[in-house]
């Protein structure tokens, strides 16, 4: 399942969570942008849970506790 982001800046205020499919897994998600200099995924200022470097929060999160395979970013 490809998630395609054209050129631009995309603001997020929380983690990106993979969808869970009928079988309960979240396999084979692919995130693609238009290029390293043209697509930007950005956390908003003061995004919940991302302020403490001693307790980091994942920006990309799969279902089942990040136990998922064949993910492509």
């Amino acid at each position: 399942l490809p998630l395609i982001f054209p050129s631009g800046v995309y603001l997020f205020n929380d983690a990106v969570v993979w969808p869970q499919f009928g079988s309960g897994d979240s396999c084979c998600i692919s995130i693609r942008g238009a290029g390293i200099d043209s697509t930007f995924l950005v956390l908003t200022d003061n995004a919940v849970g991302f302020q403490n470097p001693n307790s980091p929060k994942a920006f990309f999160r799969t279902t089942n506790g990040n136990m998922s395979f064949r993910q492509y970013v």
Side-chain angles (χ1 to χ4, degrees):
L1 174 69
L3 300 174
I4 300 170
F5 291 90
S7 293
V9 177
Y10 298 86
L11 299 177
F12 293 84
N13 61 7
D14 205 347
V16 176
V17 180
W18 271 219
Q20 190 168 15
F21 302 107
S23 63
D25 69 8
S26 57
C27 172
C28 312
I29 304 287
S30 174
I31 295 180
R32 297 176 187 249
I36 194 168
D37 293 328
S38 60
T39 302
F40 303 92
L41 307 181
V42 180
L43 280 170
T44 58
D45 291 340
N46 301 315
V48 176
F50 291 94
Q51 294 85 16
N52 186 350
N54 295 319
S55 180
K57 180 178 177 179
F59 180 66
F60 293 113
R61 188 164 51 103
T62 63
T63 57
N64 299 326
N66 287 336
M67 295 300 294
S68 190
F69 302 97
R70 295 190 318 197
Q71 310 298 339
Y72 306 97
V73 177

